[in-house]
Amino acid sequence: MTAPSGLEQWDLTSKTSLFLDRHMMFPLLEYLDGLIEADKISYSSKDVAAARLSLLRPTHMVDYAVDTYKSVHGDSAEIPAEMEEQKTQVFKQLEELESGCKPLTDLCNNEEEKTKLVSSGKWSIAALSQEADLNITPEVLEIYRKTAKFQFECGNYQRARDMLENYISLLAKPPGPDSAGDEEMDDYKTNSKQQSSDKKEDVGNPTIYYLKSVDAKLLQVLWGRLACEILVEQWEAASVALDAVKAALESLVSSKRMSAIEALSERTWLLHWSLFVYWNNSAKGGLEQLVELFHTERYKQAITTNAPHLLRYLTAAVLLCKRRITKKAAAGSTAEARRLMKNLINVMQDCDYSDPIVEFVNCLCVKFDFESAQIKLQECEKVLDADFFLCKQTGLFMEEARVFVFENYCRIHNKIDLQALGKKLAMNEDEAEHWIVDLIRNADLDAKIDSEEGCVVMGGSVQSVYEQVMERTRDLNVRSATMAQNLNKLLVDARKNKAKAEALAREEAE
């Protein structure tokens, strides 16, 4: 598929696809089909179908592949023999895998028995292996994991998700149901502290589904769980799964079981997968979480090094959640919003990427070029239409972008002509007046409209003493710690130099 100078130039599908599971690509291709049907993009529907067929070939979704093959070659086209053979093999392999883990599957489907084992603390592979009549061993558990992956490749995402949940729970070390009572009784014993410490050590990491440790294979299981949650569109569960993968990555890096290069690649993949989670959960704080993750130093490095195109999503997220963050701040302080914009501009300067959304912010915050910002704002609507993740936010984005223009314009003007402001906001004078009236009411802006002169008169905007103190002391602890560390290093170096000098003097004396 080639991208000329129309809406296609803002399509990031070809870039994001490099860091997505092939199953996640199907919703993106379906969205492109919708754009093609609406004549918004000049891609060929046959090219999109061919790309879909290429993605389907390594999977076990044979029926879907057959339907796609017909859409490419015509309904009357003869289905290749290898597709029919693949379908036969898929059913055969699935039957073999399911028979290999049948004891565990039956137990997981028996909710009553499973609940008893969980409440008695025997729901673990170690405990189940000791029950000879259950016929559940680590080998059976491994076949169960492979079956879950096979179900995923068949497109049975909910089934795969449930199986992975069971698999992880059998390896986890959650707190016992009566652990709180036990700890209270231990306080009366002389060795209570030691016993309490032992119990805490026996509990896994709650961020990683109470797993005590993670290796490369378990990390893949966590990735699989995240993929399943995304594809069944359980966004809150997907957010938990995302945090689990993130914590597991950092655990492997800190224990030197993953190299820095591998970690950088894994973080890049996680950033792309997080787009599904955070943009679909934007009403429940998803955008704030996206901004926090993308601004984290390690993940910011992944953006600037491997995926500068993600700057589009960071910029859009900052614009959309900036006012929400200001409202949540103490006394409506704008310090946090200013810090967000400052961090965003720093990332923009490090990224070799640009599109109308990024350029819009650059024109306003760096160049203070309102004319160019107006042009870029009009282009932003096209970019949003072409983007699978941002398309649902078009109306809200345009509203927040206009507020952003208004805020920046008001910073450098005391009196603003409504007609001129309307042009900056891509509105006529009447629309601009009504929009500003609503904005003044809802945002408690210190401004009033002079209808006779057709202008907006701004009040004074002075940063409060509280905001000034917060702004200047925000990083005081970090700066103090850094200064103490540097001073300690100087003292250590001075002692070393003194010791060397004394040793050298003794040698010369001898």
Side-chain angles (χ1 to χ4, degrees), residues 33-41:
D33 281 332
L35 292 177
I36 292 168
E37 289 177 12
D39 284 333
K40 290 185 176 181
I41 203 165

PDB file of all heavy atoms in Angstrom, residues 33-41:
ATOM      1  N   ASP A  33     -10.707  -0.442   6.400  1.00  0.00           N
ATOM      2  CA  ASP A  33     -11.802  -0.799   5.482  1.00  0.00           C
ATOM      3  C   ASP A  33     -12.939   0.210   5.576  1.00  0.00           C
ATOM      4  O   ASP A  33     -13.529   0.597   4.566  1.00  0.00           O
ATOM      5  CB  ASP A  33     -12.333  -2.202   5.812  1.00  0.00           C
ATOM      6  CG  ASP A  33     -11.429  -3.309   5.263  1.00  0.00           C
ATOM      7  OD1 ASP A  33     -10.753  -3.062   4.244  1.00  0.00           O
ATOM      8  OD2 ASP A  33     -11.401  -4.399   5.859  1.00  0.00           O
ATOM      9  N   GLY A  34     -13.250   0.645   6.803  1.00  0.00           N
ATOM     10  CA  GLY A  34     -14.299   1.645   6.989  1.00  0.00           C
ATOM     11  C   GLY A  34     -13.945   2.972   6.347  1.00  0.00           C
ATOM     12  O   GLY A  34     -14.802   3.632   5.744  1.00  0.00           O
ATOM     13  N   LEU A  35     -12.675   3.378   6.453  1.00  0.00           N
ATOM     14  CA  LEU A  35     -12.233   4.618   5.815  1.00  0.00           C
ATOM     15  C   LEU A  35     -12.304   4.505   4.294  1.00  0.00           C
ATOM     16  O   LEU A  35     -12.654   5.473   3.606  1.00  0.00           O
ATOM     17  CB  LEU A  35     -10.802   4.949   6.241  1.00  0.00           C
ATOM     18  CG  LEU A  35     -10.574   5.340   7.706  1.00  0.00           C
ATOM     19  CD1 LEU A  35      -9.089   5.566   7.966  1.00  0.00           C
ATOM     20  CD2 LEU A  35     -11.360   6.590   8.070  1.00  0.00           C
ATOM     21  N   ILE A  36     -11.986   3.333   3.770  1.00  0.00           N
ATOM     22  CA  ILE A  36     -12.045   3.121   2.314  1.00  0.00           C
ATOM     23  C   ILE A  36     -13.489   3.204   1.823  1.00  0.00           C
ATOM     24  O   ILE A  36     -13.786   3.848   0.806  1.00  0.00           O
ATOM     25  CB  ILE A  36     -11.423   1.752   1.948  1.00  0.00           C
ATOM     26  CG1 ILE A  36      -9.914   1.771   2.211  1.00  0.00           C
ATOM     27  CG2 ILE A  36     -11.678   1.410   0.482  1.00  0.00           C
ATOM     28  CD1 ILE A  36      -9.259   0.411   2.148  1.00  0.00           C
ATOM     29  N   GLU A  37     -14.418   2.565   2.557  1.00  0.00           N
ATOM     30  CA  GLU A  37     -15.827   2.596   2.180  1.00  0.00           C
ATOM     31  C   GLU A  37     -16.388   4.010   2.221  1.00  0.00           C
ATOM     32  O   GLU A  37     -17.255   4.376   1.419  1.00  0.00           O
ATOM     33  CB  GLU A  37     -16.637   1.693   3.110  1.00  0.00           C
ATOM     34  CG  GLU A  37     -16.393   0.211   2.886  1.00  0.00           C
ATOM     35  CD  GLU A  37     -17.165  -0.649   3.866  1.00  0.00           C
ATOM     36  OE1 GLU A  37     -18.051  -0.098   4.560  1.00  0.00           O
ATOM     37  OE2 GLU A  37     -16.899  -1.860   3.933  1.00  0.00           O
ATOM     38  N   ALA A  38     -15.889   4.827   3.154  1.00  0.00           N
ATOM     39  CA  ALA A  38     -16.358   6.214   3.279  1.00  0.00           C
ATOM     40  C   ALA A  38     -15.615   7.171   2.346  1.00  0.00           C
ATOM     41  O   ALA A  38     -15.836   8.386   2.411  1.00  0.00           O
ATOM     42  CB  ALA A  38     -16.202   6.678   4.725  1.00  0.00           C
ATOM     43  N   ASP A  39     -14.730   6.622   1.505  1.00  0.00           N
ATOM     44  CA  ASP A  39     -13.935   7.431   0.561  1.00  0.00           C
ATOM     45  C   ASP A  39     -13.092   8.482   1.263  1.00  0.00           C
ATOM     46  O   ASP A  39     -12.864   9.585   0.735  1.00  0.00           O
ATOM     47  CB  ASP A  39     -14.845   8.122  -0.469  1.00  0.00           C
ATOM     48  CG  ASP A  39     -15.330   7.155  -1.535  1.00  0.00           C
ATOM     49  OD1 ASP A  39     -14.621   6.174  -1.803  1.00  0.00           O
ATOM     50  OD2 ASP A  39     -16.429   7.380  -2.076  1.00  0.00           O
ATOM     51  N   LYS A  40     -12.621   8.155   2.471  1.00  0.00           N
ATOM     52  CA  LYS A  40     -11.770   9.083   3.205  1.00  0.00           C
ATOM     53  C   LYS A  40     -10.293   8.804   2.975  1.00  0.00           C
ATOM     54  O   LYS A  40      -9.447   9.632   3.331  1.00  0.00           O
ATOM     55  CB  LYS A  40     -12.074   9.008   4.706  1.00  0.00           C
ATOM     56  CG  LYS A  40     -13.429   9.571   5.090  1.00  0.00           C
ATOM     57  CD  LYS A  40     -13.601   9.559   6.603  1.00  0.00           C
ATOM     58  CE  LYS A  40     -14.911  10.207   7.013  1.00  0.00           C
ATOM     59  NZ  LYS A  40     -15.079  10.222   8.491  1.00  0.00           N
ATOM     60  N   ILE A  41     -10.007   7.638   2.430  1.00  0.00           N
ATOM     61  CA  ILE A  41      -8.623   7.245   2.227  1.00  0.00           C
ATOM     62  C   ILE A  41      -8.540   6.470   0.912  1.00  0.00           C
ATOM     63  O   ILE A  41      -9.485   5.791   0.524  1.00  0.00           O
ATOM     64  CB  ILE A  41      -8.130   6.392   3.423  1.00  0.00           C
ATOM     65  CG1 ILE A  41      -6.622   6.422   3.551  1.00  0.00           C
ATOM     66  CG2 ILE A  41      -8.657   4.978   3.351  1.00  0.00           C
ATOM     67  CD1 ILE A  41      -6.119   5.914   4.898  1.00  0.00           C
TER      68      ILE A  41
END
